[in-house]
Amino acid sequence: MTHKKLTVVTGHYGSGKTNLSVNIALDIAESGEKCTVIDLDIVNPYFRTADFRGLFDKRGIDIFAPVYANTNLDIPSLNIPLESLLKSGTHIVIDVGGDDEGAKALGRFAPLINATADKDVLYVINKYRYLTKEPEEAAQVMREIETSGSVLCTGIVNNSTLGAQTTEDDVRGSFGFAEKVSELTGLPISATCAIESAMPEEAPAPYTVKRYVRTAWEQD
Amino acid sequence: MAEKSLMKGNEALAEAALRAGCKCFFGYPITPQTEIAAYLSKRMPKVGGVFLQAESEVAAINMVYGCAGSGIRCMTSSSSPGISLKSEGISYIAGADLPCVIIDVMRGGPGLGGIQPSQADYYQITKGVGHGDYHIIVLAPSTVQEMADCVTRAFDLADKYRMPAVVLADGLLGQMMEPVAFDDAEIVMSDASGKPWAANGHKNSREHNIINSLYLQAPELEQKIRARYERYAKIEENETLAVADYCDDADIVVVAYGSTARLAKSAVDEARKQGIKAGVFRPVTLYPYPVKELNDAVKSAKKLLTVEMSMGQMIDDVKLAINCSKPVEFFGRTGGVIPAPAEILAKIKEMGGNE
């Protein structure tokens, strides 16, 4: 996957947006480019991009996060200078909260995002997530996100996973689902994500990811 | 079993409830369990059930009281501070011998505490929650699949013994995602069938049933409570559940429940790799406490180590269960801090596990 100046990561609640955002940000930093991550998730209290602040610091990645979880405030406030970041020339990865509720936070930045030409607005899908197993359901959630966030998606990321237990067959079993979502939405499959051990050879637009979003008993 | 889905712990709890025929859910949002209400608000109308967001936790538990009295399977969910608010209602439900399920996804306390995971409400939940001489059944899952399974079990036990049953999780379990499978059975909403005590309208076809917890005559109240304790004795005899790993030859047995048991298991796996004879004992039922199972599991142990996300609460039940026959040490983190497997392993070594 080639990374545009601005990457907005949207998707159903729990589709794997945060893990994808972390992977993309680390990739951009690895290639020697400046990268800034914006955690726009105002829904989720745990397993957030902001949890990776330490890792990002080491790789020279800046992060802007709402003042919310891990602070003493329980009402999120968004203090994010997107306009100046866009002008500064840094690559930007925006991790949006799940569903249409999460995408609401995007609305405020929609005029800036829509005015940016060099961008991807990715819609992350996971065939194994309980309420978006049917392509029609996944397509419907995308429309809700677009409406709520006032931003149109530009590509589908097939991130079909069962977490640590994902096998190559699980990923292969999601190809038909992703194609159907692509057909229903009229958007290309920008990437098929999988961990290295589960990536099928024939995957369209393969993007090998690492699992950064993990529980304490999975840490190395 | 149907194919596996990736679900959040909170979603699995919610889906399992409606699959158990829970027709009515009364809730009020609080982190880290709000997904239960959010999920059921979407799903309940599609399967003929009722989702109602009450004006407060107190209102929600009293709606459960009324609904349970009609014989319909019903549930409420909350997290620590919200459970404190519900405690009066839970006592009334127990005092009226009504079945219901309550989910508690614990967070740091006391007071408003924090929103990160905790197990500091062990005393509160296992020792009855509200006032009076009574118990409630407490199930403590440690995987997302087990969260779903425990909800089904909680409904069955609540009906069988006519009392509240709690599924006790913590924020980590509620928020994490793992594969879950549900069977393909059609969802059937419960009614009052098989519950002759239900106050569900009778059109003068029988004597009316009374749902009540007020008994002003002391001997009558004592008799009610004694009858309840006869049921508790049966529960303690028949309904305990626990899992023991590597305990047969263990010198040190780590006792932990819920997500902490998985952290302990990681530490014990590593200890075994290093040649240390450690085992892990995980109670699934916290009331009734698996006393017999624990005694069986610690036969070869020289010492026990209780690990909790609290300052040490379940440790009392561990000591009581083995009648203080062996030293029981403690390691815990609290306030929302998650104990690391490496810290638990260090404690096992400090206790002489590497001798």
Side-chain angles (χ1 to χ4, degrees):
Chain A
M1 188 159 44
T2 55
H3 304 301
K4 304 276 175 59
K5 264 271 148 34
L6 173 63
T7 306
V8 182
V9 182
T10 70
H12 177 52
Y13 193 48
S15 56
K17 296 174 297 299
T18 295
N19 200 61
L20 179 67
S21 300
V22 174
N23 272 277
I24 291 174
L26 291 172
D27 262 8
I28 293 169
E30 182 79 6
S31 72
E33 298 283 341
K34 179 79 199 137
C35 185
T36 303
V37 171
I38 297 176
D39 178 358
L40 265 199
D41 191 342
I42 52 163
V43 178
N44 230 2
Y46 295 14
F47 302 113
R48 306 162 51 81
T49 325
D51 297 343
F52 300 94
R53 207 177 275 276
L55 177 64
F56 288 165
D57 277 350
K58 275 188 213 153
R59 308 285 176 92
I61 299 169
D62 288 336
I63 172 155
F64 286 85
V67 183
Y68 171 44
N70 311 329
T71 74
N72 273 332
L73 291 180
D74 61 359
I75 295 172
S77 68
L78 291 165
N79 184 17
I80 292 158
L82 184 62
E83 190 161 15
S84 57
L85 286 171
L86 282 166
K87 282 179 186 155
S88 77
T90 174
H91 276 73
I92 298 169
V93 178
I94 304 182
D95 182 15
V96 184
D99 290 347
D100 49 335
E101 287 95 341
K104 268 181 197 150
L106 204 52
R108 186 178 120 196
F109 303 106
L112 286 168
I113 293 167
N114 291 329
T116 303
D118 189 21
K119 68 164 183 288
D120 273 324
V121 181
L122 302 175
Y123 177 58
V124 182
I125 57 171
N126 180 355
K127 176 187 191 288
Y128 300 103
R129 276 290 284 154
Y130 197 69
L131 293 181
T132 48
K133 291 184 143 210
E134 299 304 324
E136 291 75 15
E137 293 169 323
Q140 175 65 25
V141 170
M142 191 191 88
R143 285 179 208 109
E144 289 166 8
I145 286 171
E146 288 182 332
T147 306
S148 175
S150 303
V151 167
L152 293 175
C153 296
T154 61
I156 305 289
V157 173
N158 179 11
N159 186 52
S160 294
T161 167
L162 282 164
Q165 302 175 27
T166 313
T167 65
E168 204 177 311
D169 277 345
D170 293 331
V171 178
R172 191 172 285 120
S174 71
F175 291 169
F177 165 79
E179 276 163 27
K180 185 75 187 169
V181 177
S182 166
E183 192 186 306
L184 287 169
T185 58
L187 296 178
I189 296 172
S190 302
T192 303
C193 294
I195 47 175
E196 196 168 7
S197 61
M199 180 64 85
E201 259 180 43
E202 72 278 22
Y207 181 58
T208 303
V209 293
K210 286 194 176 135
R211 289 185 69 242
Y212 292 102
V213 181
R214 294 180 299 177
T215 50
W217 51 85
E218 291 180 297
Q219 308 295 327
D220 304 324
Chain B
M1 279 287 190
E3 74 164 357
K4 288 193 167 180
S5 302
L6 195 63
M7 292 184 96
K8 271 203 169 200
N10 284 336
E11 295 169 340
L13 290 167
E15 180 66 24
L18 60 90
R19 281 169 182 270
C22 171
K23 191 177 181 181
C24 300
F25 175 86
F26 308 100
Y28 189 79
I30 178 171
T31 305
Q33 65 80 51
T34 301
E35 293 85 2
I36 299 172
Y39 186 94
L40 287 172
S41 72
K42 286 183 178 163
R43 283 282 281 153
M44 275 298 200
K46 290 183 182 160
V47 294
V50 173
F51 166 84
L52 200 155
Q53 180 169 323
E55 68 268 36
S56 69
E57 286 89 346
V58 176
I61 192 69
N62 282 291
M63 289 172 186
V64 167
Y65 184 14
C67 186
S70 76
I72 289 169
R73 282 189 166 186
C74 58
M75 182 171 97
T76 187
S77 68
S78 196
S79 176
S80 309
I83 296 292
S84 293
L85 286 164
K86 290 181 193 293
S87 60
E88 180 197 44
I90 295 170
S91 170
Y92 277 62
I93 294 168
D97 295 315
L98 294 177
C100 68
V101 171
I102 299 149
I103 289 172
D104 182 3
V105 183
M106 290 181 280
R107 60 186 248 180
L112 269 177
I115 61 170
Q116 297 301 316
S118 167
Q119 295 179 322
D121 306 335
Y122 181 91
Y123 282 152
Q124 179 189 35
I125 293 296
T126 62
K127 309 306 172 198
V129 189
H131 61 280
D133 253 342
Y134 74 99
H135 287 293
I136 52 179
I137 290 162
V138 184
L139 305 176
S142 83
T143 66
V144 175
Q145 179 69 56
E146 202 178 40
M147 289 171 96
D149 299 343
C150 278
V151 168
T152 315
R153 192 176 166 78
F155 273 108
D156 290 345
L157 290 174
D159 275 355
K160 185 174 174 187
Y161 295 104
R162 285 183 63 184
M163 60 193 283
V166 170
V167 177
L168 186 67
D170 60 68
L172 185 51
L173 287 170
Q175 294 294 327
M176 64 180 283
M177 292 208 296
E178 274 182 332
V180 187
F182 293 100
D183 64 34
D184 293 321
E186 196 189 335
I187 296 170
V188 181
M189 288 290 139
S190 62
D191 56 26
S193 52
K195 295 176 179 171
W197 47 263
N200 61 335
H202 56 87
K203 301 187 175 108
N204 293 321
S205 62
R206 56 164 166 80
E207 265 306 304
H208 65 282
N209 288 329
I210 296 171
I211 305 291
N212 177 40
S213 70
L214 177 65
Y215 298 96
L216 291 173
Q217 305 301 317
E220 191 188 4
L221 180 54
E222 185 188 47
Q223 188 276 325
K224 279 273 168 195
I225 293 167
R226 284 189 180 279
R228 225 167 266 142
Y229 271 74
E230 281 168 24
R231 265 184 288 149
Y232 298 157
K234 281 187 193 146
I235 292 169
E236 287 163 22
E237 181 66 30
N238 299 316
E239 307 296 352
T240 54
L241 213 58
V243 179
D245 279 311
Y246 316 114
C247 287
D248 290 347
D249 66 341
D251 292 332
I252 294 175
V253 169
V254 183
V255 186
Y257 70 97
S259 60
T260 306
R262 298 180 74 168
L263 299 159
K265 175 76 169 30
S266 277
V268 166
D269 282 339
E270 185 55 34
R272 284 276 165 177
K273 276 187 208 156
Q274 297 181 20
I276 299 166
K277 284 187 178 171
V280 56
F281 179 84
R282 175 170 76 87
V284 178
T285 51
L286 298 179
Y287 179 81
Y289 203 76
V291 173
K292 185 182 166 299
E293 291 87 342
L294 179 60
N295 278 287
D296 287 346
V298 300
K299 275 183 182 145
S300 83
K302 298 186 183 87
K303 287 178 182 176
L304 280 68
L305 169 65
T306 304
V307 181
E308 301 174 53
M309 282 193 281
S310 75
M311 291 303 286
Q313 301 191 6
M314 182 181 72
I315 187 172
D316 291 0
D317 282 338
V318 172
K319 285 179 179 172
L320 278 174
I322 64 163
N323 207 11
C324 293
S325 58
K326 298 176 189 207
V328 183
E329 296 198 23
F330 177 75
F331 179 77
R333 300 297 301 263
T334 193
V337 180
I338 299 168
E343 292 176 314
I344 302 169
L345 181 61
K347 178 69 184 178
I348 292 171
K349 288 181 174 174
E350 180 198 308
M351 287 169 64
N354 53 351
E355 278 163 17

